[in-house]
Amino acid sequence: MAGDAFQAYLLAQIDGREERFPLETGMVCRIGRGEENSVVLGDNLVSRRHALLQCTQGGEYFLVDLGSRNGTLLNGRRVTAPVTLKTGDRISIGSCEIEFQGPPAIAEDKASFGETMLAVSQRLITVLVADIRDFTGLSRRIGEARLSEMMSVFFGECGRVLAEHGAWGQKYIGDAVMAFWVHQRETPERRELAGVFASLAEIFDTAAGLQKRVGLDAAIRIGAGVNTGLASVANIGSVAASDYTAVSEAVNLAFRLETATKEVGCDVVLGQETVARLAQFADVSHLFDVRTVTLKGYENPMPAYAGRAESVAELRRILA
């Protein structure tokens, strides 16, 4: 049908028949053996909650394995971290083959350089950076196989959480996760900030549960930085595979704030602008302590707001 031509979808062979599953912007499509999934695969090789596919508000599609027993393959390679999909990609789950078909890239104010499409706009964003503490020491203690299993679970859960709470973009850099939310107005809405801190609270919970879930010798801790500010939001990918990213001082500062958690001995550090935006909806003075931090690349020390994972959980409750 003509109306379906611009809609992304999954094409799957299930029980000998071809089925098509439309994908909507902002939605989460769950795949697994359980009846609660969007795509139900009656195969014993498939976990009850096997994988998910998310479409961000920026129009890119991610495939996330949810720590399944038998894994998820994309074009023959096992998925260990959330990965961007492009039209024609083939997803293998158990004995089922699923083909991803994305819509044509449509955007305004594009400059074309060969096959690369650049669409830049200046937007207000909130950036979240979370990093696993002492990753080098951890990798030496538990070995490559156990480390790969742990990171697959951690990144998979992070991808699911960020998708469910409306992150526009997410990146995985070594042992760190970076995500950002694009605010629709000059002043962030309550639900947008609620999504940021709900995501962070669940990422803290995921890290705390890794020791038991993967059988590690010690608890996993993370540090996080959150910052709000203007950024250039652009699709730096191709027509076939979009890749939305954000570039600005606000993004750089979020990474520096995450690093500052080690200096001040806390779990999370918020930037001044984020706290100022939160003040419209919540008084956070009892949750975060004002600290003066010295950040690499910044000439002068600056105030920031330090807190614990429990502070984030309480802020999530207030904003809900």
Side-chain angles (χ1 to χ4, degrees):
M1 292 185 294
D4 294 333
F6 297 96
Q7 184 174 30
Y9 61 91
L10 296 177
L11 200 60
Q13 296 288 337
I14 301 177
D15 296 331
R17 65 182 185 277
E18 187 175 83
E19 293 196 34
R20 180 168 165 165
F21 299 89
L23 302 171
E24 301 287 349
T25 301
M27 73 168 288
V28 176
C29 176
R30 294 175 174 82
I31 305 171
R33 200 173 70 249
E35 293 296 327
E36 69 277 9
N37 291 285
S38 311
V39 180
V40 179
L41 305 177
D43 183 337
N44 289 334
L45 297 176
V46 178
S47 300
R48 288 193 61 83
R49 295 174 64 251
H50 196 104
L52 67 78
L53 192 149
Q54 70 171 97
C55 177
T56 69
Q57 294 296 331
E60 58 185 338
Y61 295 80
F62 283 94
L63 175 66
V64 181
D65 182 82
L66 298 177
S68 63
R69 181 179 297 273
N70 293 306
T72 301
L73 301 182
L74 178 63
N75 300 324
R77 300 185 63 179
R78 184 159 184 161
V79 174
T80 57
V83 61
T84 307
L85 294 175
K86 62 182 183 297
T87 294
D89 276 345
R90 301 196 68 82
I91 303 164
S92 302
I93 297 178
S95 60
C96 182
E97 291 288 327
I98 302 172
E99 181 178 317
F100 171 75
Q101 289 293 328
I106 300 175
E108 297 178 355
D109 301 324
K110 290 182 178 177
S112 176
F113 301 93
E115 294 185 354
T116 300
M117 303 300 293
L118 186 64
V120 182
S121 61
Q122 192 82 356
R123 306 290 292 274
L124 181 68
I125 68 170
T126 293
V127 186
L128 163 64
V129 177
D131 183 75
I132 295 177
R133 295 278 176 80
D134 190 28
F135 185 76
T136 301
L138 177 66
S139 63
R140 290 173 178 169
R141 292 199 315 272
I142 68 176
E144 185 176 339
R146 184 65 63 82
L147 184 69
S148 178
E149 179 186 4
M150 185 200 80
M151 295 308 295
S152 177
V153 172
F154 181 64
F155 283 157
E157 285 298 299
C158 287
R160 176 188 63 80
V161 165
L162 294 168
E164 290 185 350
H165 293 297
W168 263 59
Q170 49 182 280
K171 305 290 181 184
Y172 298 83
I173 309 163
D175 59 315
V177 178
M178 187 276 269
F180 65 93
W181 285 254
V182 177
H183 301 299
Q184 301 305 306
R185 296 181 175 85
E186 293 183 2
T187 300
E189 296 181 9
R190 186 188 191 102
R191 62 175 179 81
E192 293 171 336
L193 293 174
V196 175
F197 289 98
S199 294
L200 182 53
E202 292 183 35
I203 290 172
F204 275 126
D205 288 344
T206 295
L210 284 174
Q211 181 180 8
K212 181 177 180 181
R213 184 168 178 179
V214 187
L216 302 176
D217 59 352
I220 299 299
R221 291 191 59 202
I222 63 172
V226 181
N227 192 48
T228 302
L230 290 174
S232 295
V233 179
N235 174 13
I236 62 172
S238 65
V239 173
S242 61
D243 182 13
Y244 279 82
T245 192
V247 180
S248 75
E249 183 66 19
V251 177
N252 294 337
L253 184 55
F255 278 91
R256 299 306 186 199
L257 292 174
E258 182 279 315
T259 301
T261 60
K262 303 168 188 175
E263 174 189 334
V264 300
C266 64
D267 297 322
V268 59
V269 175
L270 309 184
Q272 287 181 281
E273 189 65 22
T274 298
V275 172
R277 304 292 182 163
L278 282 169
Q280 305 169 85
F281 312 109
D283 178 8
V284 300
S285 59
H286 64 296
L287 298 177
F288 299 92
D289 298 325
V290 182
R291 302 287 186 89
T292 299
V293 295
T294 302
L295 304 179
K296 182 178 179 180
Y298 291 82
E299 184 176 350
N300 299 314
M302 66 179 66
Y305 296 77
R308 297 290 181 185
E310 295 79 9
S311 307
V312 175
E314 177 62 15
L315 179 55
R316 177 190 188 179
R317 186 192 66 79
I318 292 171
L319 292 173

